Amino acid sequence: MEYNDRVVVIDHPMVQHKLSKLRNKNTSSKDFRQLVRELALFEGYEATRDLALEDVKVETPICTADCKQVAGKKMVIVPILRAGLGMVDGLQELMPSTFVGHVGMYRDPETHEPHEYYAKLPDSIDQRDVLVVDPMLATGGSAVAAIQYLRKQGVKNIKLMVLVAAPEGIEAVLEADPDVRIYTCSIDEGLNDRAYIVPGLGDAGDRIFGTK
């Protein structure tokens, strides 16, 4: 279902079922990690729907078949540390040959502004499509900073994958970058006075890694 031409909400029944479990405050850290992995896999199907294909001939046990395979250079997954790491396994299950880069951002607890503290990207990233992943899109500050950093590295095709998004974060990302596409499982009500998504998931990083 399209929110607008650059935002796609994945509203498959199984996605919504798993998302309800993800939101539950009583879901264990182990189950939370598993649900994040599964939702990333579901979402990855939609985010990669437009990958270019090329013709190949395959020898089946019966005959030669005309088939399709993904063309071009391997895609790069870039999780925004640290919560974004929880989505990587699901995407690599879908696309085992993808490369993984890392961009570290932390949010100032007072100003809510993002600060970059780490970046490590594969070679020739400027020639590859990139999926930026983070479970939550709240104010949009970290996502905007990560996308801007990747643009400076020459990346042309960027998609942002999140599990839940606040309207404020969506607006910030779309306003900051004219080409990025956003994929999410839900557009929530908004942000509270601490810049947390309502109803949201709580702190996704803490829930994934069992920290407080």
Side-chain angles (χ1 to χ4, degrees):
M1 179 176 69
E2 296 281 346
Y3 177 79
N4 70 28
D5 61 353
R6 289 202 288 144
V7 181
V8 180
V9 179
I10 314 301
D11 59 357
H12 188 283
M14 288 307 301
V15 168
Q16 299 309 306
H17 174 78
K18 291 177 185 297
L19 184 60
S20 71
K21 293 180 177 296
L22 195 72
R23 291 189 192 276
N24 191 326
K25 68 178 183 180
N26 295 317
T27 296
S28 68
S29 181
K30 173 181 176 293
D31 290 341
F32 192 91
R33 286 193 301 272
Q34 178 67 16
L35 287 163
V36 169
R37 186 193 69 79
E38 292 171 355
L39 285 166
L41 176 60
F42 272 101
E43 211 171 0
Y45 279 108
E46 292 303 321
T48 58
R49 182 177 290 277
D50 60 351
L51 288 179
L53 296 172
E54 61 185 6
D55 297 323
V56 293
K57 291 191 179 296
V58 173
E59 293 292 335
T60 79
I62 308 301
C63 64
T64 301
D66 293 323
C67 299
K68 302 284 187 181
Q69 70 180 17
V70 174
K73 291 185 177 292
K74 295 180 178 69
M75 181 173 283
V76 177
I77 304 165
V78 178
I80 299 176
L81 301 179
R82 64 183 168 134
L85 291 170
M87 299 176 68
V88 173
D89 285 351
L91 288 169
Q92 287 201 302
E93 186 173 335
L94 176 66
M95 303 175 289
S97 297
T98 50
F99 296 148
V100 179
H102 298 86
V103 175
M105 300 281 177
Y106 73 91
R107 187 173 71 164
D108 186 293
E110 299 298 327
T111 67
H112 310 304
E113 290 298 314
H115 299 275
E116 176 195 325
Y117 65 87
Y118 180 80
K120 183 71 173 179
L121 303 172
D123 293 336
S124 67
I125 194 167
D126 59 330
Q127 301 172 33
R128 301 177 186 277
D129 295 348
V130 172
L131 278 177
V132 176
V133 298
D134 197 358
M136 308 185 75
L137 178 59
T139 64
S142 295
V144 167
I147 291 165
Q148 289 176 341
Y149 177 81
L150 291 167
R151 293 296 189 202
K152 290 177 182 177
Q153 311 311 308
V155 179
K156 299 176 181 63
N157 187 8
I158 299 175
K159 296 175 181 176
L160 173 65
M161 272 183 48
V162 301
L163 301 185
V164 296
E168 296 93 328
I170 291 174
E171 183 178 351
V173 170
L174 296 181
E175 184 176 330
D177 191 284
D179 297 314
V180 68
R181 290 177 62 84
I182 301 171
Y183 294 79
T184 183
C185 298
S186 174
I187 299 175
D188 282 12
E189 297 170 16
L191 302 176
N192 64 15
D193 57 4
R194 297 177 59 201
Y196 277 88
I197 300 175
V198 178
L201 311 170
D203 188 305
D206 284 346
R207 298 190 69 187
I208 289 169
F209 297 107
T211 56
K212 291 183 179 180

